[in-house]
Amino acid sequence: MQTLDEMLALHLLTADQHAEIHAWVAQAKTPEAIMQMRPALWRRLELASVLMNFDADLMQPPAQG
């Protein structure tokens, strides 16, 4: 949920979108269930992810500690 909070703080999601996505994810039991989110909200989440460059973080190799 931290990423959703960051999206809200960066004004990539409205407070209503944040609340709706948060509620959906909290009740979903599987990744497949999360993907059943209503299409308009899913597209907004995808756009916010792109604008945050979220996928780039996932492509980085793990930090060597």
Side-chain angles (χ1 to χ4, degrees), residues 13-35:
L13 296 174
T14 66
D16 288 342
Q17 290 168 332
H18 177 271
E20 191 173 347
I21 293 167
H22 185 276
W24 185 271
V25 171
Q27 63 84 32
K29 304 295 183 206
T30 65
E32 292 79 17
I34 292 172
M35 294 177 69

Side-chain angles (χ1 to χ4, degrees), residues 43-61:
R43 283 190 304 272
R44 186 64 202 181
L45 182 58
E46 284 183 317
L47 177 59
S49 296
V50 167
L51 293 173
M52 281 184 64
N53 206 16
F54 182 72
D55 288 340
D57 291 341
L58 297 176
M59 302 310 261
Q60 296 296 318

